[in-house]
Amino acid sequence: MEQADATAASADAILAAAIRSSLDCIVVTDETGRVIEFNAAAETTFGCRRAVAIGATIYDLIVPPRLRDAHPIGRNAFLAEGVPRLLGQRSEQIAVRADGSEFPVELAITEARSGSRRFFVATLRDLSARHARDAALLGSQARLEAFMRHAPIGMYLKDVDGRYLIANPEMGKVFGRPAEEAIGLSAVDIFGHEEAAMIAENDRRVLEAGQAIAVEEFLSQATDYAWSLVVRFPVQWEDQQQARIGGFDIDITELKRSAERLAESEKRFRAVTHHHPVPVVFIDEANQLIVANPAFREMMGVGPGDEDRFLQHRWFATREDYRRINAMSREVARVDGVEAHFCRLDGSVFPVSLSWRHVEMDGRLVIVGSILDLTARKAAEAELARSREALAQSERLNALGSLLAGVSHELNNPLAVVFAQAAMLEEQLAGTAHADRAGKIKRAAERCARIVKTFLAMARERHPERRSVDVNELIRAALDIASYGLRTAGVEVDTRLSDDLPLLEVDPDQLHQVLLNLIINAQQALQEIPEPRHIEIATAMIGGEIEILVSDNGPGVSAEVRSRIFDPFFTTKPQGVGTGIGLAFSLGVVQAHNGRLELLDGPAGAHFRLRLPVEPCAGSQPDRREPQITKGGIGRTALVVDDEPDVAEMVGLFLETEGFSVTVVGDGAHAKHAMAATPFDAIFCDLRMPNTDGPALYDWARETVPAAADRFVFVTGDTLGLSAAHFLERASRPVVEKPFTRETIRQAIAALATTARTSGPSHGRDS
């Protein structure tokens, strides 16, 4: 008995030790629900000491207050009816700690008997940590699913055989079907053999390399993912034996298409830039040339073999303009029409107009510039300025011509008197000491007369008119005009004029202007050198042409200028000195006369050669014989009409020496009375007079005494004006230009004799 008691005591001790050391909470209650055992795990879990728990009802100890009413009901039902609700099974319940916090537990209740006593043993396990792990796992899975579902790129996992294990919805765009339908399928099943072979090869590379590989893949049947950047990587499973393949598919279709469009756009841009006729350049912030089209290369004189030197060019403008343009291009993003000077590769400088814009290219600032070569425009502007100067000069000459018309008339009248009186004195004083003095006066007046006539010829406004002229006389007349300027410039003129030259059929005024241009050009060129200064003029007969050489010992004409020396408006003279039309005009005149004007090569200075053909004269040669005056018929009575008494007197004296009986009147009104009263064989009438002038008197005579109109000879110092020229052309009467000589009066009488009526002198209205 004692041994049995000892054995029982030992078993109780073992049971108590087992209960105390159990990791699960063990709570033992009696039939009333009061706690009779509360192990250490229960103390820890529920935060209640065993001493406090023993004797307390289990409902008050571990059951939440909101659930306490239900537990006694269940216990009483079990005791009364024997129907267990929780007994003998594990269930998840809510418990409460001593601090009032609730937590989940796994609960298992068993019934035990000791004699007549019934006990209930509750085993509880705290499920808080497991719930937390489950919740974390579920959250992780939810996040992973959300991540996969919303990822904007395709993501997948394949086994070693290439079958898809996982694929997010975005992969459906790659598959061309819903992603879930591709699970378990291989690339062959989805894409076909050709593209599957590409995918299999890329998978193999990943498995062999054991590291991630990124490749671009093209799927011909895909729309959104036609081009993909696929990043593959090996995935080791927990057993570390089998590697799976994970992958990300990034859609780069639009990027590829944009790149293609960009490449095409750049191709078009380069084509347009390449073929653009305007020079275009792209320059970076470091002044390095990025793009230069062929037009720019051509403008800069880039030839074969110059490319390296051209690309190393850091600036194209001259140094002065480079500093200005470089500073401006940094500060101003948009500029139009800035003028500068550029340097070609050969060093030549030329004017340009610059326009540029700041643009961003590949993340950097680039200056896009267009350049216009202004060489032609500047030359045109210079020629325009010269033409304006020439026009202004022409207007000044026109004004001078108008002035000369009046001056010539005023000079010719006294010159006519001086010359005529000197000639008369020379004849009357022949054989005396005074005859020489009278001859000097006559020669001085004659020279003045030639100068005035030359001025009139230069300024006369009329159509070109060819007549027989002596070239040597034209040269002497040109030298008379230029003599003052030559003398004051210290220029000596040597002439070698051939005496046996035939007469030329030319316009004397135009040829005189050509000769004067050559002489004045030589004079101006000689001003650039120190003395001695020489001009040589020579004439000769060469074959069927008359040759005129005008040479000087000046600086000559440079090689680069020779080709342009006869161009209109081209001049090497300073602004305001030359117009550039003299030699061009001279060449045109000479060519119009079927001649040649050339610049010859010479050892020093300029040498111009003018050749004119000797052509048959269209009219009669001038008659150098003295006119024969018949004392019968013409040569009897003459009327002189001039408002200058001295001029009228000299005309009358010359006429008297030719056998005329002379009547002198001072104006047109007195002339009308004289012509109405007396028939005259010759009427010498001045053109310009107060009241009734020469044209008015002539028109009156044609209406009133027609026969008298055929006897008119006009004496004038005004052949410059258009009105006078038009009238003389209309009247077709002989003309004596002031200052006149006895010979010019005789020539007028001879001309009058050939046009006189055969019926004899005028006798009033019926003559």
Side-chain angles (χ1 to χ4, degrees):
M1 186 66 180
E2 291 179 357
Q3 185 176 1
D5 291 340
T7 300
S10 177
D12 290 341
I14 292 172
L15 178 61
I19 291 173
R20 285 195 301 274
S21 61
S22 174
L23 295 177
D24 291 334
C25 300
I26 298 178
V27 180
V28 182
T29 63
D30 58 14
E31 291 183 50
T32 63
R34 294 189 178 277
V35 177
I36 59 175
E37 184 56 59
F38 199 79
N39 71 346
E43 287 183 303
T44 302
T45 298
F46 289 98
C48 179
R49 289 184 293 107
R50 183 174 182 277
V52 175
I54 299 299
T57 62
I58 193 170
Y59 318 120
D60 297 331
L61 186 63
I62 66 172
V63 177
R66 56 188 174 80
L67 302 176
R68 287 175 184 170
D69 292 340
H71 278 269
I73 296 173
R75 179 182 62 80
N76 293 334
F78 170 70
L79 292 176
E81 302 173 3
V83 179
R85 188 168 64 86
L86 298 175
L87 196 64
Q89 57 184 341
R90 295 181 181 275
S91 64
E92 188 173 313
Q93 302 294 326
I94 300 298
V96 64
R97 294 186 177 90
D99 61 3
S101 59
E102 297 181 358
F103 63 100
V105 295
E106 183 184 70
L107 173 64
I109 302 176
T110 58
E111 181 182 7
R113 293 178 181 268
S114 178
S116 59
R117 297 181 62 189
R118 299 172 69 182
F119 303 98
F120 297 95
V121 179
T123 303
L124 300 97
R125 181 173 296 170
D126 190 349
L127 298 181
S128 297
R130 190 172 74 183
H131 275 208
R133 286 195 301 273
D134 291 345
L137 179 59
L138 290 174
S140 176
Q141 290 176 338
R143 288 191 293 273
L144 177 60
E145 289 177 0
F147 176 76
M148 297 280 284
R149 184 170 62 255
H150 295 98
I153 62 174
M155 294 187 292
Y156 62 84
L157 180 66
K158 296 192 290 188
D159 62 20
V160 291
D161 296 326
R163 297 187 179 277
Y164 290 92
L165 303 175
I166 301 173
N168 72 334
E170 187 71 12
M171 279 298 293
K173 298 178 181 178
V174 181
F175 297 143
R177 66 186 73 185
E180 58 269 18
E181 294 181 8
I183 302 303
L185 301 180
S186 66
V188 176
D189 301 327
I190 300 172
F191 303 111
H193 291 282
E194 184 176 348
E195 292 172 345
M198 172 191 67
I199 294 172
E201 173 61 22
N202 290 332
D203 287 349
R204 184 191 62 76
R205 291 173 56 201
V206 170
L207 293 175
E208 288 183 357
Q211 62 184 13
I213 294 178
V215 294
E216 290 185 3
E217 292 181 354
F218 177 71
L219 302 176
S220 60
Q221 302 301 319
T223 301
D224 292 330
Y225 279 79
W227 279 98
S228 299
L229 176 63
V230 182
V231 182
R232 291 178 172 83
F233 49 92
V235 179
Q236 296 290 341
W237 226 244
E238 292 179 355
D239 56 14
Q240 298 294 315
Q241 297 299 314
Q242 282 189 319
R244 278 76 172 176
I245 298 174
F248 299 137
D249 273 34
I250 303 171
D251 186 6
I252 60 171
T253 304
E254 187 56 35
L255 182 63
K256 278 286 194 180
R257 290 171 180 164
S258 296
E260 291 174 357
R261 290 193 295 269
L262 180 61
E264 183 63 27
S265 175
E266 183 174 353
K267 181 180 178 182
R268 289 194 299 269
F269 161 75
R270 289 188 177 275
V272 170
T273 303
H274 182 84
H275 294 97
H276 203 290
V278 175
V280 176
V281 293
F282 285 52
I283 300 175
D284 64 16
E285 292 182 283
N287 290 323
Q288 294 292 337
L289 188 64
I290 303 172
V291 175
N293 70 342
F296 183 79
R297 284 175 160 81
E298 180 181 355
M299 181 183 71
M300 296 301 296
V302 180
D306 293 332
E307 190 67 19
D308 291 341
R309 189 159 60 99
F310 172 69
L311 293 176
Q312 293 171 2
H313 226 45
R314 291 189 62 85
W315 56 77
F316 302 102
T318 59
R319 290 187 179 274
E320 295 76 9
D321 285 345
Y322 169 76
R323 297 188 186 97
R324 174 174 60 89
I325 295 169
N326 187 44
M328 187 184 302
S329 66
R330 305 283 181 200
E331 300 173 358
V332 185
R334 179 188 179 102
V335 168
D336 292 304
V338 173
E339 292 194 6
H341 288 85
F342 269 30
C343 296
R344 296 185 181 92
L345 288 190
D346 62 5
S348 59
V349 178
F350 61 103
V352 297
S353 174
L354 301 174
S355 299
W356 68 73
R357 302 288 187 273
H358 286 186
V359 299
E360 187 174 337
M361 181 182 294
D362 299 330
R364 58 177 174 167
L365 178 66
V366 173
I367 299 174
V368 181
S370 62
I371 304 94
L372 293 179
D373 187 345
L374 298 182
T375 303
R377 194 179 86 181
K378 291 294 185 182
E381 289 175 353
E383 289 199 5
L384 179 60
R386 286 194 292 270
S387 66
R388 286 174 177 166
E389 176 62 23
L391 179 60
Q393 178 70 8
S394 176
E395 291 176 351
R396 288 193 292 269
L397 288 176
N398 287 336
L400 180 59
S402 299
L403 180 61
L404 281 175
V407 172
S408 65
H409 186 269
E410 296 303 319
L411 282 178
N412 278 331
N413 284 331
L415 275 176
V417 174
V418 171
F419 182 82
Q421 292 285 6
M424 295 290 289
L425 283 174
E426 187 180 26
E427 291 181 7
Q428 294 172 2
L429 298 174
T432 69
H434 298 293
D436 183 56
R437 292 184 180 180
K440 290 181 179 180
I441 296 172
K442 184 187 75 171
R443 288 190 293 274
E446 187 177 23
R447 183 183 177 192
C448 291
R450 284 200 309 271
I451 292 174
V452 170
K453 285 185 178 181
T454 302
F455 274 127
L456 289 174
M458 291 171 57
R460 185 178 289 123
E461 295 183 17
R462 60 171 177 78
H463 296 295
E465 178 184 346
R466 296 193 184 192
R467 61 179 184 269
S468 299
V469 298
D470 184 336
V471 169
N472 291 340
E473 288 301 321
L474 285 179
I475 293 173
R476 294 187 185 99
L479 288 173
D480 279 340
I481 295 297
S483 61
Y484 175 77
L486 293 169
R487 187 172 64 255
T488 56
V491 178
E492 295 183 2
V493 180
D494 297 326
T495 58
R496 293 186 293 106
L497 308 180
S498 177
D499 293 331
D500 56 353
L501 298 179
L503 297 177
L504 275 179
E505 186 76 2
V506 296
D507 183 297
D509 296 342
Q510 289 186 340
L511 188 56
H512 176 275
Q513 185 64 54
V514 171
L515 294 169
L516 190 60
N517 284 342
L518 295 176
I519 294 169
I520 292 176
N521 280 348
Q523 174 197 328
Q524 292 175 340
L526 288 169
Q527 291 176 353
E528 301 179 15
I529 66 169
E531 295 184 3
R533 304 175 180 132
H534 294 287
I535 295 176
E536 183 176 302
I537 303 175
T539 61
M541 188 69 185
I542 307 295
E545 297 177 321
I546 290 180
E547 179 181 86
I548 305 171
L549 292 175
V550 180
S551 305
D552 63 66
N553 66 332
V557 181
S558 62
E560 59 270 16
V561 172
R562 293 179 70 89
S563 62
R564 301 188 61 194
I565 195 71
F566 292 107
D567 289 353
F569 303 115
F570 176 78
T571 180
T572 59
K573 300 171 186 176
Q575 181 73 23
V577 176
T579 62
I581 62 174
L583 286 176
F585 165 80
S586 299
L587 180 63
V589 168
V590 173
Q591 290 176 342
H593 285 79
N594 298 320
R596 301 189 307 279
L597 178 61
E598 305 167 280
L599 174 64
L600 302 179
D601 294 328
H607 306 270
F608 286 91
R609 180 173 65 190
L610 191 163
R611 284 189 173 181
L612 292 167
V614 178
E615 299 174 342
C617 296
S620 60
Q621 293 285 347
D623 189 357
R624 301 182 181 221
R625 298 173 300 172
E626 290 292 322
Q628 299 298 316
I629 304 300
T630 304
K631 292 301 179 180
I634 266 202
R636 295 173 298 168
T637 60
L639 175 65
V640 177
V641 186
D642 200 308
D643 62 324
E644 290 283 345
D646 292 339
V647 174
E649 179 185 353
M650 290 312 305
V651 175
L653 285 174
F654 282 140
L655 288 171
E656 287 177 353
T657 61
E658 300 300 326
F660 282 86
S661 174
V662 179
T663 300
V664 177
V665 296
D667 56 31
H670 289 88
K672 290 178 182 180
H673 290 294
M675 283 189 290
T678 306
F680 292 100
D681 298 298
I683 302 171
F684 282 74
C685 180
D686 191 15
L687 270 184
R688 295 176 61 182
M689 297 181 295
N691 301 321
T692 304
D693 60 7
L697 182 61
Y698 175 75
D699 290 339
W700 171 87
R702 289 183 62 188
E703 292 293 329
T704 307
V705 281
D710 293 333
R711 309 294 178 171
F712 267 76
V713 174
F714 288 103
V715 182
T716 180
D718 176 23
T719 57
L720 186 64
L722 283 176
S723 59
H726 290 161
F727 168 74
L728 293 175
E729 183 179 2
R730 172 172 66 87
S732 297
R733 302 307 303 154
V735 177
V736 174
E737 291 190 26
K738 300 175 185 178
F740 47 82
T741 65
R742 176 180 291 182
E743 183 178 354
T744 58
I745 297 296
R746 286 178 177 179
Q747 291 172 355
I749 295 171
L752 187 63
T754 61
T755 60
R757 291 178 180 270
T758 58
S759 59
S762 170
H763 292 279
R765 186 180 302 272
D766 298 331
S767 301

